[in-house]
């Protein structure tokens, strides 16, 4: 389905696909892992690399969901594959489409857990925001996800699966023989959904390697942005092992305020974080880092904050993304006034940094950053607990 058709708000509940028990999912395996799995099944070692190439193309280029369609593999071999493996994705529980075309998916994964992914269409690109964990171990006081305890890390299959599900739903797989469509619906991926991606490093890395692979989904590392609250020891590895763009949830210009907003700051403070960030663009061969800054009324939005911010990041190639706070029921903060956000943006801009104000998208379906939260109530903190963490 293309997005140029007028879309009205709809809520769709799709039929559940029954999980086939006990089979290993090929989605999310690295090429080496897939080769090992095929050899273990009896594929001669000499052939494994070629078979991986064939299967890989079916899964990630054509969007195949079963082995039957893999016509360049012998019938017997396809049957053998089907006996041992599956090609499965998270299942869509509900899909909501906003008036502005934003799509929010609630996805069910093994164990009955739920995570969200959001597709945001723009004029010349489409961005898919994906989750890396169910819940989050961190407790940023302005974030809805932070009120939910960590349930578990997503597997590489579940991380890649979110991209596959979006392409299925958008009808974006190529049709054999049809002229090549150069416009991509899912052209960019951001790890800005639920969870802290750097606390699930290996699965995020493996998943992104699959997403970047040229013979499959082929989304370049410059079109993938990983957002972290500031897990300092993993940042250099992100540069060397993933090489994607980096966004930092900065949000404050003094340790005192950042300790309250982003409590991981108590472990790695602003100076420690900035020191490691200075090396990132060179190590990852990327141009600049995005500093995310949520605008909270009377908390972090003064002119003095804006001036301190540009001083702190001096020397780091950067863009500052100002995010009007997305309020959620019970949140202990308010969104800064529009005039205040613009004044803040002006100061940053005059200092030579791009300082776009993120337009709220999909507000009617609560699809914005920080509002993603599964329907799972388990582990939810009380309002009093949130307020206590926020410093009362
Ligand atoms: N855990 C990672 C990625 C997920 S959060 C991180 O913290 O960076 C993605 C972005 O949304 C972060 O910048 C986060 O600080 C921001 N965010 C969270 N809650 C928000 C809210 N209620 N309003 C606006 N932005 C929010
Ligand atoms: Fe976790 Fe990011 Fe939310 Fe902080 S902002 S609680 S790190 S998801």
């Amino acid at each position: 389905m293309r997005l140029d058709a007028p879309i009205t708000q709809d809520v769709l509940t799709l039929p559940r696909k029954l999980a086939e028990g006990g089979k290993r999912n090929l989605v999310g395996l690295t090429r080496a892992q897939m080769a090992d799995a095929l050899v273990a099944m009896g594929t001669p070692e000499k052939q494994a690399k070629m078979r991986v190439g064939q299967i890989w193309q079916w899964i990630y280029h054509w969007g195949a969901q079963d082995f039957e369609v893999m016509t360049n593999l012998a019938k017997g071999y396809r049957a053998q594959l089907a006996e041992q493996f599956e090609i499965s994705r998270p299942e869509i529980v509900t899909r909501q489409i906003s008036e502005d075309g934003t799509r929010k998916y609630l996805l069910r994964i093994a164990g009955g857990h739920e995570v969200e992914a959001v597709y945001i269409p723009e004029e010349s690109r489409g961005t898919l925001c994906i989750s890396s964990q169910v819940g989050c171990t961190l407790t940023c006081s302005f974030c809805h996800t932070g009120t939910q305890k960590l349930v578990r890390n997503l597997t590489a299959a579940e991380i890649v699966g979110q991209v596959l599900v979006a392409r299925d739903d958008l009808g974006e797989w190529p049709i054999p023989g049809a002229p090549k469509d150069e416009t991509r619906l899912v052209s960019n991926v951001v790890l800005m959904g639920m969870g802290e991606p750097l606390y699930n490093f290996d699965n995020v890395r493996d998943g992104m390697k699959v997403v970047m692979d040229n013979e499959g989904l082929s989304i370049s590392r410059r079109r993938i942005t990983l957002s972290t609250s500031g897990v300092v020891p993993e940042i250099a590895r992100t540069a060397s092992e993933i090489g994607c763009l980096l966004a930092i949830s900065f949000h404050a210009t003094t340790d005192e305020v950042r300790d309250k907003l982003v409590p991981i700051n108590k472990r790695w403070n602003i100076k420690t974080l900035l020191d490691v960030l200075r090396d990132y663009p060179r190590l990852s061969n990327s141009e600049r880092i995005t500093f995310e800054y949520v605008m909270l009324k009377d908390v972090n939005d003064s002119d003095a904050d804006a001036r301190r911010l540009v001083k702190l990041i001096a020397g780091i190639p950067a863009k500052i993304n100002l995010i009007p706070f997305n309020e959620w029921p019970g949140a202990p903060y308010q969104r800064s006034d529009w005039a205040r956000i613009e004044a803040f943006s002006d100061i940053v801009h005059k200092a030579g940094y791009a300082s776009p104000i993120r337009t709220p998208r999909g507000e009617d379906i609560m699809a914005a950053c920080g509002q993603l939260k599964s329907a799972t109530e388990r582990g939810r903190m009380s309002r009093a607990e949130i307020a206590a963490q926020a410093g009362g």
Side-chain angles (χ1 to χ4, degrees):
M1 193 193 310
R2 291 273 154 176
L3 287 164
D4 42 11
I7 290 171
T8 47
Q9 160 110 28
D10 86 340
V11 177
L12 176 85
T13 303
L14 298 169
R16 294 191 55 168
K17 180 178 166 274
L18 288 177
E20 291 154 63
K23 293 183 189 175
R24 181 155 183 211
N25 192 2
L26 289 186
V27 172
L29 300 186
T30 60
R31 281 175 181 266
Q33 287 166 338
M34 198 187 285
D36 288 348
L38 296 182
V39 169
M41 179 189 89
T43 306
E45 281 206 31
K46 277 192 179 150
Q47 284 179 17
K49 204 169 163 203
M50 179 180 74
R51 297 285 171 244
V52 169
Q54 291 169 313
I55 296 168
W56 194 275
Q57 236 200 359
W58 281 112
I59 299 178
Y60 299 114
H61 178 78
W62 300 107
Q65 300 206 37
D66 60 58
F67 298 100
E68 216 27 60
V69 299
M70 301 185 182
T71 44
N72 55 352
L73 300 175
K75 219 169 172 209
Y77 190 66
R78 291 190 322 241
Q80 228 185 326
L81 286 170
E83 217 164 86
Q84 304 226 2
F85 302 113
E86 60 179 15
I87 305 166
S88 69
R89 299 106 152 80
E91 67 184 84
I92 298 180
V93 182
T94 56
R95 179 192 72 182
Q96 286 173 281
I97 303 183
S98 160
E99 277 161 9
D100 67 15
T102 301
R103 290 173 179 225
K104 180 162 91 169
Y105 305 101
L106 178 65
L107 305 171
R108 188 177 295 127
I109 55 172
H113 306 303
E114 288 167 348
V115 289
E116 288 175 337
V118 176
Y119 174 69
I120 305 155
E122 287 171 286
E123 216 153 86
S124 53
R125 62 178 186 184
T127 302
L128 184 70
C129 174
I130 61 174
S131 295
S132 55
Q133 299 182 310
V134 185
C136 189
T137 42
L138 302 173
T139 52
C140 303
S141 51
F142 56 90
C143 173
H144 207 191
T145 307
T147 65
Q148 191 189 355
K149 285 188 180 135
L150 177 76
V151 178
R152 74 164 168 85
N153 280 334
L154 297 193
T155 62
E158 290 158 349
I159 293 167
V160 176
Q162 294 172 71
V163 182
L164 302 182
V165 163
R167 291 196 88 186
D168 293 346
D169 184 51
L170 294 163
E172 209 195 349
W173 298 111
I175 298 163
K180 210 170 162 217
D181 187 351
E182 297 295 342
T183 51
R184 296 192 63 168
L185 296 176
V186 181
S187 62
N188 294 56
V189 169
V190 295
L191 283 145
M192 292 187 187
M194 296 166 64
E196 170 47 62
L198 295 189
Y199 275 149
N200 185 14
F201 188 90
D202 291 359
N203 291 336
V204 165
R205 176 201 53 212
D206 291 351
M208 289 307 105
K209 287 252 157 30
V210 172
V211 170
M212 291 188 272
D213 191 291
N214 269 336
E215 281 160 50
L217 295 164
S218 190
I219 297 177
S220 109
R221 65 186 188 85
R222 290 170 189 280
R223 288 181 174 272
I224 298 174
T225 304
L226 183 151
S227 174
T228 179
S229 56
V231 184
V232 164
E234 305 292 355
I235 289 179
R237 279 179 83 198
T238 307
S240 60
E241 296 181 35
I242 309 177
C244 60
L245 301 180
L246 189 68
I248 297 290
S249 292
F250 205 61
H251 306 321
T253 60
T254 64
D255 281 324
E256 193 193 351
V257 176
R258 197 164 191 270
D259 280 352
K260 285 178 189 154
L261 298 181
V262 190
I264 201 176
N265 195 68
K266 291 183 208 156
R267 183 117 179 241
W268 296 292
N269 66 12
I270 292 180
K271 183 178 181 310
T272 316
L273 175 60
L274 289 172
D275 281 349
V276 74
L277 291 181
R278 282 179 209 287
D279 292 331
Y280 192 87
R282 181 180 51 80
L283 293 178
S284 65
N285 189 24
S286 62
E287 282 142 37
R288 57 187 181 174
I289 294 176
T290 301
F291 285 79
E292 296 159 282
Y293 199 96
V294 63
M295 298 298 294
L296 304 170
K297 190 176 188 156
D298 299 331
V299 175
N300 63 355
D301 62 351
S302 68
D303 286 354
D305 277 304
R307 285 192 217 102
R308 258 196 307 269
L309 176 61
V310 295
K311 242 190 188 162
L312 281 170
I313 63 172
I316 304 178
K319 160 177 142 189
I320 290 98
N321 227 336
L322 298 176
I323 317 173
F325 175 54
N326 292 303
E327 294 182 22
W328 37 273
Y333 303 105
Q334 286 174 300
R335 180 182 290 187
S336 305
D337 297 334
W338 202 253
R340 182 88 298 274
I341 301 179
E342 284 186 336
F344 193 105
S345 167
D346 259 8
I347 294 174
V348 176
H349 185 75
K350 286 204 177 104
Y353 295 96
S355 54
I357 302 171
R358 192 183 289 169
T359 338
R361 296 288 304 262
E363 284 200 301
D364 52 337
I365 55 170
M366 293 258 297
C369 275
Q371 291 180 340
L372 302 189
K373 180 169 175 172
S374 83
T376 321
E377 292 293 304
R378 196 175 341 143
R380 180 182 283 194
M381 289 196 293
S382 72
R383 228 181 271 189
E385 279 175 286
I386 301 165
Q389 297 235 355

